Structure formats: C-alpha cells, structure tokens
Amino acid sequence: SQQGEEDPQALSIQEGENATMNCSYKTSINNLQWYRQNSGRGLVHLILIRSNEREKHSGRLRVTLDTSKKSSSLLITASRAADTASYFCASSAGSYQLTFGKGTKLSVIP
Amino acid sequence: DAGVIQSPRHEVTEMGQEVTLRCKPISGHNSLFWYRQTMMRGLELLIYFNNNVPIDDSGMPEDRFSAKMPNASFSTLKIQPSEPRDSAVYFCASSDPFSGTGFDNEQFFGPGTRLTVL
C-alpha cells in the first residue's frame, strides 16, 4: 500500500518562483527519498535524507525532514520550465523496499 | 553503464494473449523490483528479487502474473492471459544498497514498458 502522501497533488508556478512540495509518511523510517518523473519516462532519484538528518541540499534542491511529524518537504528554488515533472517521495524503513507516494505534478510556466 | 534496460518500450496486445516484459538491471546491482503505474493506483510494487531470489511477491495481483530472474542480468514479468485492466506502465528498477558508505537503497528505474491490452 502507498504510505507516503504528497501535498499538493498539483502545483503550477511561474518560472523563477520557488516550488514547495510536502510529503507525509506513517511509520518510522531509515531514510526518505525524492524522485522526479518526466512525462513518459522512468523515475529519477534526486536526493536521499537519512532519519538522523534534518536538512539536505543539492544544487537548487533543499529537503527537510521532521521525524516527529513524519513529514518531509522538497523545495526547488528559482524554478525552470525544465523542472516540469511529477515529484514523488519514497520512504524506507531500512529494508530494500521503498514505499512511494502518489506524487505532486509540478508545472513551471515560462 | 547503460542504466536499467527494459523491452519492449510499448506493447499492444489483445485480451487473452500472453505478454512478456523484459528487464536488464544495472550490472552489480543485487536487488531488482517490478512496479506497475496507473493513474488510479499510482506506483505499485509487484515483486522484488534479491540475489535472483524472489523475496516479496505480495504485490502480484493474481495468478495471471509471474516473474522470474534466472540470472543476475535478466528478469521477466509475464502476464497470461492478459486483460484490459492490466493496461499500465510497467517499470523495472534495480538497486545496490550496500555499495556506498552506508545503507543507501536508491533505486534506478528503467524507461518502462507501456502495455495496452485491447
């Protein structure tokens, strides 16, 4: 079953603006990951944050993790049209499996 | 590395026919996953293998679905007989959780097979 839930389901912003997506999960995790999926393509790993980390950066991406609230957020700064995609969070309880949410569809308007 | 390779990329078949989807994981990865993605249900894990052994097939919808991994470089997902409700995009992903300094179970996805059952 899908454990992660992203919010919002869809987001439309202007190029140059920041985009924030949220994810909630239900059980204790070892790490939480974010993936991007362009239309008609497979998922691509963006960033992984471990349960003992609170914030992580990668280029224009910033991920936060609040284990007390069982939530994470993905911030994309200075968005570009090429950032248009669906974004998924995936939680890991420490096994090989990941539990994916249903995704946030981001549209960046040029 | 070429990444995860899936074939065919598109498959259109008629109800009742057998469908075989193929996957070649990234060399050296010891975990392989089959997922199904639909608008209604999102991304569902069907089965995963570790070191060629099926570990969890609880996501396989029914007996019409079967998966094999005869060696470390090849896996198949078979649907027999196929039904219109099997129409979806099927992804294969691989992973090597212990390749880095810690447990890092990042998954690498193939491009998917878009299956249409008429």
Side-chain angles (χ1 to χ4, degrees):
Chain A
S1 64
Q2 296 292 338
Q3 180 181 178
E5 294 289 339
E6 288 91 344
D7 168 52
Q9 291 187 330
L11 180 62
S12 183
I13 60 173
Q14 295 289 329
E15 200 165 29
E17 294 181 338
N18 295 342
T20 299
M21 288 159 270
N22 302 299
C23 167
S24 61
Y25 56 91
K26 295 179 181 175
T27 62
S28 297
I29 61 169
N30 173 277
N31 67 62
L32 187 134
Q33 303 175 30
W34 285 90
Y35 288 76
R36 182 186 72 222
Q37 183 179 31
N38 290 89
S39 181
R41 304 286 186 90
L43 280 72
V44 174
H45 181 265
L46 294 176
I47 194 167
L48 178 152
I49 186 166
R50 302 190 193 282
S51 60
N52 61 353
E53 297 175 315
R54 291 297 167 259
E55 187 170 313
K56 200 163 185 179
H57 297 254
S58 177
R60 294 184 296 111
L61 305 181
R62 184 179 78 121
V63 170
T64 61
L65 180 65
D66 187 336
T67 53
S68 67
K69 295 181 179 178
K70 292 186 169 56
S71 67
S72 173
S73 67
L74 171 67
L75 168 68
I76 304 173
T77 60
S79 63
R80 305 167 181 168
D83 295 327
T84 294
S86 292
Y87 292 82
F88 296 85
C89 68
S91 59
S92 170
S95 72
Y96 295 93
Q97 288 182 266
L98 297 179
T99 303
F100 286 86
K102 294 196 173 181
T104 292
K105 191 168 185 177
L106 173 66
S107 298
V108 181
I109 303 165
Chain B
D1 199 314
V4 176
I5 299 172
Q6 290 188 248
S7 65
R9 293 293 310 277
H10 301 273
E11 177 82 30
V12 180
T13 190
E14 294 191 344
M15 183 173 64
Q17 296 298 305
E18 176 179 300
V19 175
T20 300
L21 311 181
R22 297 173 177 80
C23 174
K24 177 178 168 54
I26 291 173
S27 177
H29 283 191
N30 58 11
S31 297
L32 183 139
F33 306 81
W34 282 100
Y35 292 91
R36 177 172 68 177
Q37 186 178 40
T38 61
M39 290 292 291
M40 290 294 294
R41 300 175 67 90
L43 195 64
E44 303 174 275
L45 176 65
L46 300 177
I47 185 169
Y48 86 91
F49 295 84
N50 183 240
N51 292 324
N52 312 338
V53 176
I55 303 300
D56 184 355
D57 64 355
S58 59
M60 297 285 263
E62 47 201 273
D63 292 345
R64 297 184 298 106
F65 285 69
S66 63
K68 293 182 180 179
M69 192 164 186
N71 57 61
S73 59
F74 183 66
S75 177
T76 60
L77 177 67
K78 186 177 292 186
I79 308 173
Q80 165 64 17
S82 58
E83 297 182 4
R85 60 194 169 117
D86 301 331
S87 296
V89 181
Y90 291 81
F91 289 103
C92 175
S94 70
S95 149
D96 183 14
F98 298 101
S99 62
T101 56
F103 183 76
D104 183 350
N105 53 353
E106 166 190 355
Q107 293 184 11
F108 295 81
F109 281 74
T113 295
R114 181 173 295 276
L115 173 65
T116 303
V117 183
L118 303 174

